[in-house]
Amino acid sequence: MVRPAQPAGSFFTLGRLSNRPALAPFRTRAFRYQWPADLSTAWALEMETLILGWYVLVESGSVVTLTLFGALMYMGTLLSPLIGTLGDRMGLRRLLAGMRLSYAVLASVILLLALTGRLSPTPVLALAFLVGLIKPSDIGMRTALASASVPAAQLVAAMGISRTTQDSARIGGALAGAGFMASLGMAGAYVAITALYLLAAVLTWRSGAVQARRPVGPPVAAARAAATAGPSVPGVPAGAAAGPASPWQDLKEGLRHVWHTPRLRASMSVAALVNLCAFPLTGGLMPYVARDVFGLDQQGLGWLVASYASGALLGSLAMGSFGARLPPARTMLLTCALWYLFLMGLALPIGVGTAMVLYLGAGLVQSLSMLALSIILLRTSEERFRGRVMGVRMLAIYTLPLGLLAAGALIPVIGFAALVLGYATLGLLMLGAITLAWRDELLAQGARANAG
């Protein structure tokens, strides 16, 4: 259920600006609270990742330890489907608020260690593991919450606006994190990070979006009638909802729904692919690229990250403005291929300026590709499965730590340039295989995944 738009002048309203189609989601009260909550979370996560990544690299002097840190930040991807199921049952808003409060608690531990002089790479890795248990689910849950808060006609615009929180955080969060670390030190930076997490938890709770909850007891008559009429969702047997549902049963239904829906399975395959051999080059390896490839300091790292994020922000704004007119599946495949081509340029003997341009282009097409993928998942899956579908989507991130750990082992052996060329080539070949395997679902003009 979606709450009606609040009158102009209420908290976080944009007044006349919300009459523009690209800003229409702000007419919904829940979205007006959720957007700044997501923004605060994204800024804090980005600042924390950059600060701790640089700290681990400098203190340990090892790219292997750096990639281990990056991998630990995503270890919770195995829990994402279960967390998505929990969100469907207890409400996405409550779940997100609790997750963000836990971020604040863990950040306060880092703050305490920094204040007492006990901070070292070992506790940082331990806390990275704890954050990594829930962090991978945050993006999927916030996307599912936004889709449940706004009318269906505003979904594409909402996805574009929601994505700007993540992209702007990689710009501002990277520069602010580097600036705070340089001027205020670790403790000062973590005061700001903890405050942002607390603000995000409060705003998420205040969003007050009314979520449809699946019945956990005997179903109502309408649900029983639907169950006896036969299966309405691919892979979910008739009558599956006709009794008390356990979380594990919910999870299995969600996994069956994804597996037996070709367009969803194809999209999940693309997500797993880019997390394996694209995101490591623009995420966890960035501190190494800045220091060891281009000889930059922490401020230079901030500028490299900001270049990539600036392109991603442009892509998010573009998708929010005219993305409704693009065929999602075709857009996803084309921009994903361009993403790998931009990354290939990093294997050439280039300077910092050229690298920033390549990161800008890679960020732009990455944003378009991943937004198109999310639109396919949310628009073509049944509403009651959205939390679980996005949970499975986050499960695809599990290939990211695998790609990072492999990169950490390969770079000392073959070098950074060869690694980039190998990852990008593998990505293009596998993308071609996915396209051929599901060409009817992804390329056909009349395919549901390309519906406007």
Side-chain angles (χ1 to χ4, degrees):
M1 181 183 298
V2 178
R3 290 189 174 184
Q6 300 297 310
S10 60
F11 190 50
F12 285 124
T13 188
L14 294 183
R16 293 180 180 178
L17 287 178
S18 63
N19 291 326
R20 299 180 180 179
L23 298 177
F26 284 108
R27 298 174 193 164
T28 305
R29 175 186 181 275
F31 192 82
R32 291 197 298 271
Y33 276 89
Q34 186 191 341
W35 186 80
D38 294 347
L39 184 67
S40 298
T41 303
W43 273 63
L45 284 171
E46 190 60 38
M47 289 171 63
E48 190 170 30
T49 301
L50 183 142
I51 289 171
L52 293 183
W54 185 264
Y55 174 83
V56 168
L57 179 63
V58 171
E59 292 296 317
S60 69
S62 169
V63 67
V64 175
T65 306
L66 172 65
T67 55
L68 176 60
F69 165 77
L72 289 173
M73 293 291 283
Y74 294 95
M75 292 304 292
T77 50
L78 287 175
L79 301 178
S80 294
L82 188 58
I83 292 177
T85 300
L86 186 62
D88 282 340
R89 294 176 66 86
M90 67 177 286
L92 295 168
R93 175 178 62 93
R94 290 181 182 144
L95 179 64
L96 265 180
M99 290 167 60
R100 289 164 179 182
L101 183 61
S102 69
Y103 299 155
V105 171
L106 293 172
S108 67
V109 174
I110 292 284
L111 174 59
L112 180 62
L113 292 174
L115 288 172
T116 57
R118 297 180 179 179
L119 190 64
S120 68
T122 299
V124 167
L125 292 175
L127 287 166
F129 170 74
L130 294 177
V131 173
L133 292 177
I134 52 177
K135 174 188 172 182
S137 301
D138 193 278
I139 296 176
M141 294 305 99
R142 76 175 71 159
T143 302
L145 179 59
S147 71
S149 302
V150 302
Q154 299 172 7
L155 179 60
V156 175
M159 293 300 97
I161 295 171
S162 294
R163 182 72 187 217
T164 62
T165 62
Q166 183 179 348
D167 299 332
S168 65
R170 295 208 73 187
I171 303 171
L175 297 177
F180 284 160
M181 186 67 176
S183 59
L184 302 177
M186 180 74 80
Y190 260 85
V191 168
I193 290 170
T194 304
L196 284 172
Y197 282 140
L198 289 173
L199 176 63
V202 172
L203 289 176
T204 302
W205 183 257
R206 288 283 297 159
S207 66
V210 179
Q211 300 300 320
R213 297 178 60 184
R214 293 201 57 199
V216 295
V220 295
R224 186 181 292 114
T228 58
S232 60
V233 180
V236 180
S246 69
W248 291 110
Q249 183 62 35
D250 284 349
L251 175 58
K252 286 192 290 185
E253 285 185 11
L255 290 172
R256 281 197 296 265
H257 175 44
V258 171
W259 183 258
H260 291 283
T261 309
R263 59 183 176 276
L264 299 183
R265 189 146 44 107
S267 299
M268 296 297 183
S269 300
V270 172
L273 174 63
V274 296
N275 278 287
L276 177 66
C277 50
F279 275 115
L281 302 177
T282 57
L285 285 173
M286 279 292 222
Y288 172 83
V289 173
R291 195 187 75 159
D292 292 16
V293 176
F294 294 110
L296 302 175
D297 58 11
Q298 192 173 9
Q299 294 282 0
L301 168 62
W303 283 108
L304 276 183
V305 174
S307 299
Y308 179 76
S310 297
L313 179 59
L314 291 174
S316 299
L317 294 173
M319 184 63 81
S321 298
F322 57 80
R325 298 193 294 270
L326 298 175
R330 291 179 177 181
T331 300
M332 174 185 70
L333 296 174
L334 175 60
T335 52
C336 188
L338 291 173
W339 184 4
Y340 282 117
L341 292 176
F342 276 114
L343 292 178
M344 271 189 176
L346 297 174
L348 302 174
I350 57 176
V352 176
T354 304
M356 291 176 66
V357 173
L358 290 173
Y359 275 125
L360 180 74
L364 172 65
V365 293
Q366 173 267 143
S367 181
L368 292 172
S369 179
M370 294 299 97
L371 278 171
L373 188 151
S374 294
I375 290 168
I376 295 171
L377 298 180
L378 291 170
R379 183 183 279 169
T380 67
S381 59
E382 187 171 313
E383 183 175 357
R384 69 188 180 99
F385 283 104
R386 281 177 177 170
R388 279 163 284 180
V389 168
M390 295 311 294
V392 177
R393 160 67 180 93
M394 293 302 104
L395 185 62
I397 295 179
Y398 195 68
T399 55
L400 176 54
L402 298 179
L404 276 172
L405 292 174
L410 289 171
I411 286 176
V413 177
I414 65 175
F416 178 73
L419 175 82
V420 170
L421 187 61
Y423 269 31
T425 302
L426 175 64
L428 287 171
L429 292 175
M430 293 302 297
L431 182 66
I434 291 171
T435 304
L436 288 175
W438 285 287
R439 56 186 177 275
D440 293 337
E441 295 286 339
L442 299 177
L443 297 179
Q445 185 174 359
R448 191 174 176 189
N450 284 312

